[in-house]
Amino acid sequence: MPYPPLHPSSLGPQLKRWRALHRVKQSHAAELFGVAQSTISRWEAGLQRMSPAERATAEQLLAARLDSAGDHALARLIAGSAGRMHLVCDLTHRLLASSPARAAEFSQPLSTLLGASLWRYATPEIVRMEAALDPLGWHDRAGPPSVEFDTGANASRVVPIRGSRCRWTRMTLSDGSAVRLVETLDAH
């Protein structure tokens, strides 16, 4: 399953935040994308959609990576947690860290799933919640820092999901990229 569709303006605020954190001017970002500076401005304002190739470049640029000591400390905290939780890139849904309780649910070793997108295992309820994030302001940081919802089960043996209450918490890594802490609160 491809990554979930984002609202056309979703990548604009993320690109603007990335530029600010990395001290990249719109003119330099325009060179990176091979577009005019005015195009970068329209993307950031949510006034123009990116082409599929431009979106792929933006996703590669904005994808979350655990680069700093603080980012690695967050991953260690999750890896040492007794709860059922994992950390994914908010944009690509690539698995970045997992608690032992969550990893025990997987039918493959954690090492084979780290760096892979978990989106293909999403339940219909997860897909619906993902679609609801843009109207909530999730991607432009205006919305709530976390959301809770109920999900049904999937049919996957690789990454099984049981009916449960979930919480997604939005976090920002040291480079400004967005990650999501996914917690299972209780099983139904």
Side-chain angles (χ1 to χ4, degrees), residues 78-79 81 83-89 93-99 102-103 105-106 110 114 118 126 159-161 166-169 171 179-184:
I78 293 165
S81 173
R84 293 172 49 213
M85 66 180 64
H86 61 277
L87 187 71
V88 295
C89 171
H93 297 271
R94 287 181 311 103
L95 181 62
L96 301 171
S98 176
S99 69
R102 175 73 80 226
E105 298 172 346
F106 303 151
L110 179 59
L114 285 171
L118 300 184
I126 291 172
V159 178
I161 298 172
C166 298
R167 178 175 32 224
W168 290 346
T169 303
M171 304 169 122
V179 293
R180 183 181 307 177
L181 180 64
V182 179
E183 299 172 90
T184 301

Side-chain angles (χ1 to χ4, degrees), residues 4 18 48 55 76-77 91 101 107-108 122 147 162 164 170:
W18 176 86
Q48 181 176 333
R55 180 183 163 100
R76 282 193 308 277
L77 287 171
L91 180 62
S107 69
Q108 294 183 0
V147 293
R162 295 189 267 292
S164 60
R170 182 184 64 233

Side-chain angles (χ1 to χ4, degrees), residues 28-188:
H28 181 64
E31 290 174 21
L32 291 172
F33 283 92
V35 299
Q37 178 187 348
S38 59
T39 300
I40 299 293
S41 178
R42 287 191 299 273
W43 288 347
E44 291 180 355
L47 301 174
Q48 181 176 333
R49 291 179 184 248
M50 294 180 179
S51 72
E54 293 161 345
R55 180 183 163 100
T57 299
E59 287 175 353
Q60 185 176 14
L61 185 69
L62 301 172
R65 295 165 193 77
L66 301 175
D67 289 335
S68 75
D71 299 342
H72 287 286
L74 174 61
R76 282 193 308 277
L77 287 171
I78 293 165
S81 173
R84 293 172 49 213
M85 66 180 64
H86 61 277
L87 187 71
V88 295
C89 171
D90 199 47
L91 180 62
T92 65
H93 297 271
R94 287 181 311 103
L95 181 62
L96 301 171
S98 176
S99 69
R102 175 73 80 226
E105 298 172 346
F106 303 151
S107 69
Q108 294 183 0
L110 179 59
S111 61
T112 64
L113 292 172
L114 285 171
S117 174
L118 300 184
W119 183 248
R120 66 180 157 265
Y121 306 110
T123 65
E125 295 84 4
I126 291 172
V127 172
R128 279 194 295 279
M129 189 68 226
E130 185 73 28
L133 292 178
D134 269 321
L136 290 174
W138 180 271
H139 297 289
D140 63 10
R141 306 290 196 255
S146 66
V147 293
E148 291 185 15
F149 63 99
D150 292 318
T151 184
N154 68 7
S156 173
R157 289 180 34 203
V158 177
V159 178
I161 298 172
R162 295 189 267 292
S164 60
R165 182 90 180 148
C166 298
R167 178 175 32 224
W168 290 346
T169 303
R170 182 184 64 233
M171 304 169 122
T172 304
L173 295 180
S174 62
D175 69 354
S177 59
V179 293
R180 183 181 307 177
L181 180 64
V182 179
E183 299 172 90
T184 301
L185 302 176
D186 60 22
H188 296 301

